[in-house]
Amino acid sequence: MGKVVVITSGKGGVGKTTAVANIGTALAQLGQQVVMVDTDIGLRNLDVVVGLENRIVYNLVDAVKGRCRLRQALVRDKHLENLFLLPAAQTEDKTAVTAEQMVELCRELKQDYDFVLIDSPAGIEQGFANAVAGAEQAVVITTPEVAAVRDADRVIGLLESRGLKEPQLIINRIRPDMVRRGDMMDMDDILDILAIRLLGIIPEDEHIVVSTNRGEPAVWDKGSRAGLAFRNISRRLMGEEVPLLPIFNHGGLVQRLRRLMGLK
Amino acid sequence: MLGLLQRLLGQETQSSKKIAKERLRLVLVHDRADVSPHFFEALKNDLVEVISKYMEIDTRRLEVKLHNSPEAVALVANIPVLGMKKNYGS
Ligand SMILES: Nc1ncnc2c1ncn2[C@@H]1O[C@H](COP(=O)(O)OP(=O)(O)O)[C@@H](O)[C@H]1O
Ligand SMILES: [Mg+2]
């Protein structure tokens, strides 16, 4: 029996779809059976990020409404035979699926897969309710900006009131240089305010743009720091303890020197 | 140039991260109070209970709200007093 994990944020454009694509791919690289579900009905884009847009026949709404069997709606990845996508419908709206149907769908999927990763739409309306309905674990993603962290706080409250206790946080698009200059909130600032467990930190990384252009998630790219950070997150989701990337073990030069000299 | 001078003189303007964190903290005070519909009700009831030990108050005209200023959020309570209790604290 697998786990259903929803990745959500409140604010749009903070990296939910990027995270699902990369974490899903990395979990599959580690040998897990994975299905990624795009619940952003009407605005599907997980298919493009993972480069499977040309292979879609049926979608989530077809499967839920019985227009096809669930199996038929799953699109197999180009490289990994244990990675699948359940695409969102592009031509219907968010009310095409109910929360009960999502619960049933997740229940079915987790019989066959180790990880069911749910990509959620922006907002906290029905699309959000659908995305979290069948999940038993939640990951909240934010960027280090006031508006994004504020929305993350709201979403954490909503998740907890829905019984998704102890959501975990991913902070995306951190720029260590700006943090060092004092021009970007860092993980301590954000964790301090949100009081939530950290799952990982993803640096701002041009490789994300390149890999999205190609439809090959950054975890395939050995030179991508964001890719490495996503691989580490995947290992943490599997229960392994993995330290943060050294670029985030910041502190000023003095602190780093002290640490090097064993003074701290 | 001015920036450099200010830095040399140690009067660097507050870092934007500090400003962000402070703004975030303040906005969340409101968000968190708003989100929970019973927040002010529960707070009022508890205030009434405590203050009634010391004073007679007009509970119907009691008002509790959050007041904003640029650098802080204050809890403002307006509690009409009808009289003092003799055996306060009991
Ligand atoms: N760590 C990162 N570094 C650089 N660009 C990123 C990073 N994370 C996300 N992006 C870019 O930000 C945009 C929004 O990301 P996306 O995953 O679509 O957000 P969401 O699904 O939350 O709306 C995309 O163009 C994506 O390529
Ligand atoms: Mg998205």
Side-chain angles (χ1 to χ4, degrees):
Chain A
M1 187 69 87
K3 265 199 255 186
V4 184
V5 184
V6 62
I7 300 192
T8 186
S9 68
K11 188 172 185 304
V14 297
K16 293 177 293 293
T17 301
T18 305
V20 168
N22 279 283
I23 296 171
T25 304
L27 284 169
Q29 288 170 340
L30 291 165
Q32 302 289 297
Q33 296 288 328
V34 181
V35 58
M36 304 173 286
V37 182
D38 187 352
T39 66
D40 203 346
I41 296 172
L43 288 171
R44 92 173 164 213
N45 51 42
L46 183 55
D47 55 336
V48 191
V49 177
V50 293
L52 294 176
E53 68 275 17
N54 293 326
R55 304 186 178 204
I56 296 175
V57 183
Y58 296 107
N59 58 53
L60 182 141
V61 177
D62 294 327
V64 157
K65 300 215 156 155
R67 293 182 205 137
C68 68
R69 278 179 291 117
L70 180 51
R71 281 270 161 83
Q72 290 176 292
L74 300 178
V75 186
R76 189 192 293 270
D77 184 63
K78 282 183 280 192
H79 310 290
L80 295 162
E81 57 169 31
N82 50 337
L83 176 62
F84 293 83
L85 167 72
L86 179 52
Q90 183 67 324
T91 53
E92 312 201 36
D93 67 287
K94 293 200 175 12
T95 55
V97 176
T98 67
E100 294 74 44
Q101 288 170 324
M102 282 304 297
V103 172
E104 178 54 27
L105 178 81
C106 292
R107 204 188 52 76
E108 253 175 81
L109 286 173
K110 75 178 175 185
Q111 319 242 302
D112 294 338
Y113 295 89
D114 300 313
F115 281 94
V116 181
L117 297 184
I118 314 265
D119 184 12
S120 70
I124 49 174
E125 297 87 26
Q126 182 170 354
F128 169 79
N130 283 349
V132 305
E136 54 221 295
Q137 192 176 334
V139 173
V140 176
I141 181 159
T142 185
T143 55
E145 293 161 310
V146 177
V149 178
R150 176 197 200 174
D151 290 356
D153 185 71
R154 183 78 205 283
V155 160
I156 291 166
L158 289 173
L159 290 168
E160 286 175 344
S161 70
R162 285 167 176 274
L164 280 163
K165 303 290 178 210
E166 299 197 15
Q168 290 175 286
L169 185 73
I170 293 178
I171 304 171
N172 188 23
R173 310 193 78 153
I174 285 265
R175 288 186 49 182
D177 55 327
M178 291 190 73
V179 169
R180 241 174 276 129
R181 259 188 274 139
D183 276 329
M184 182 175 273
M185 287 191 285
D186 69 8
M187 71 173 179
D188 295 328
D189 298 318
I190 295 170
L191 292 177
D192 188 23
I193 282 175
L194 291 183
I196 180 176
R197 272 188 308 154
L198 183 70
L199 180 61
I201 305 179
I202 313 294
E204 172 81 26
D205 185 353
E206 289 181 5
H207 289 87
I208 293 282
V209 180
V210 175
S211 67
T212 307
N213 285 342
R214 294 188 204 280
E216 306 265 342
V219 290
W220 286 113
D221 185 341
K222 292 283 177 281
S224 163
R225 281 176 161 187
L228 177 56
F230 277 123
R231 287 200 297 276
N232 286 347
I233 284 181
S234 306
R235 287 163 59 196
R236 291 185 197 116
L237 282 174
M238 289 176 64
E240 208 179 312
E241 279 202 22
V242 188
L244 290 177
L245 295 182
I247 41 169
F248 300 122
N249 285 330
H250 44 74
L253 181 63
V254 179
Q255 253 173 301
R256 267 179 287 163
L257 276 176
R258 286 174 66 96
R259 217 176 285 154
L260 270 180
M261 296 188 297
L263 287 171
K264 194 187 159 192
Chain B
M1 189 59 202
L2 187 63
L4 182 67
L5 259 179
Q6 282 178 325
R7 222 166 297 162
L8 284 175
L9 296 172
Q11 330 175 302
E12 197 188 350
T13 43
Q14 206 184 18
S15 77
S16 73
K17 147 193 150 149
K18 285 212 183 98
I19 298 170
K21 193 175 178 188
E22 211 35 49
R23 290 175 61 217
L24 187 56
R25 199 187 288 289
L26 296 186
V27 78
L28 286 183
V29 170
H30 281 274
D31 286 3
R32 287 174 181 171
D34 281 348
V35 158
S36 138
H38 305 300
F39 178 85
F40 283 106
E41 251 347 275
L43 179 62
K44 269 189 203 173
N45 290 341
D46 281 355
L47 278 176
V48 167
E49 196 181 315
V50 172
I51 294 168
S52 298
K53 288 187 191 168
Y54 300 85
M55 299 170 184
E56 308 274 358
I57 57 178
D58 185 348
T59 53
R60 281 165 313 148
R61 287 196 294 139
L62 176 143
E63 253 181 23
V64 182
K65 57 188 173 205
L66 290 175
H67 180 80
N68 250 351
S69 76
E71 65 288 339
V73 177
L75 178 68
V76 180
N78 192 344
I79 308 174
V81 178
L82 302 173
M84 305 301 281
K85 286 220 166 145
K86 281 216 186 87
N87 308 319
Y88 58 81
S90 63

